[in-house]
Amino acid sequence: MRFRDRRQAGQELAARLLEWAGSGDLTGVTVLALPRGGVPVGAEIARALKVPLDVLVVRKIGVPGAPEVGIGAITGDDPPVFDRIGLEAMHLSEDKLGPDVARERTELHRRERVYRGGRPAVDVRGHSVVLVDDGLATGVTARAALRHLRRRDPQRLTLATPVCSPATAAALRGEADDIICLHQPKRLRSVGEWYADFHQVSDEEVLQALRELHPTV
C-alpha cells in the first residue's frame, strides 16, 4: 500500500503515536523533523500531539557519481558519520570525500540560517524527542541525527517514519530507544516508490510549517 502523499503518511504515523501517548508512555514531547521531506510528515504529528514542530538539519554525503546513494551524513558541526562497510566496498576514504563534506556543510549551514533565522536549536535535555523523516533507505542521515540528539541528553529518543528497510530499522535499534515504522517492505528500492506524490519539498513549505507550528518563527 502506497501513501497518497507525505501529509497522509504523517497522519497515519500520528495515529500510531497518539495510541502510544494515550498509554502514558510518551509525555513532554518535542517533535523534530529532518528537512526537507520529513517536515510535512512531522507537521501532522505535531498537530496531532498538540506540540511545537522544529527541524534538525542533516545533510547526506553521497557516493561520487551517484549522489542519491548515501554513504555518510553530517549534522551541525559534528564530525561526519560514515557507512564504514560501504566505504570499504566502494574503495572510498574519508579523505577522498573531504570536498563533498565541505560542500554539504556549507549547504547545511545555509538551511539552518533559512529555517532558524538566528533562532537557537531547541533544548531537548530531559524531553521525549520524536525524530521524523519521510522514509529510511540506508538510514545514514537518521543515524547522524540520532547520535547528535543523544549527546544532548533527551529523556527518550524515538525515531518515527512511515516506511523503512527492515535491515535499516534493525541497524538503528542501538541508536534510538524506540523505532516506529508503519511499513517495512522486504525490498525497499527507494522511499519515493511508497508515495503517489513525492515532490521535492521546498524551503517555503518548510518555513510555512514552522510558522504554523512553532510559536517563535
Side-chain angles (χ1 to χ4, degrees), residues 29-171:
V29 176
T30 295
V31 175
L32 295 177
L34 298 183
R36 300 173 179 145
V39 172
V41 182
E44 296 302 322
I45 294 171
R47 287 190 184 98
L49 295 179
K50 296 181 173 58
V51 298
L53 171 73
D54 209 337
V55 294
L56 177 61
V57 182
V58 181
R59 292 296 294 170
K60 177 173 66 178
I61 309 301
V63 172
E68 71 283 358
V69 179
I71 197 70
I74 51 172
T75 311
D77 291 317
D78 294 356
V81 173
F82 284 108
D83 175 356
R84 299 291 174 187
I85 295 176
L87 286 177
E88 292 181 11
M90 296 181 185
H91 306 290
L92 293 172
S93 67
E94 292 187 33
D95 289 343
K96 185 174 182 180
L97 292 170
D100 301 85
V101 172
R103 183 180 62 251
E104 294 301 337
R105 185 94 64 188
T106 297
E107 175 61 13
L108 183 151
H109 289 317
R110 183 198 74 81
R111 293 196 185 193
E112 287 183 331
R113 289 192 298 272
V114 170
Y115 302 152
R116 295 193 181 283
R119 176 171 50 87
V122 172
D123 183 4
V124 301
R125 184 181 299 272
H127 288 235
S128 292
V129 177
V130 178
L131 179 69
V132 184
D133 202 0
D134 56 7
L136 304 177
T138 65
V140 68
T141 53
R143 186 183 300 277
L146 290 167
R147 290 183 179 180
H148 175 82
L149 290 169
R150 183 67 77 189
R151 286 192 288 271
R152 293 164 61 188
D153 199 24
Q155 180 185 50
R156 189 167 188 165
L157 185 52
T158 299
L159 176 62
T161 187
V163 60
C164 65
S165 155
T168 296

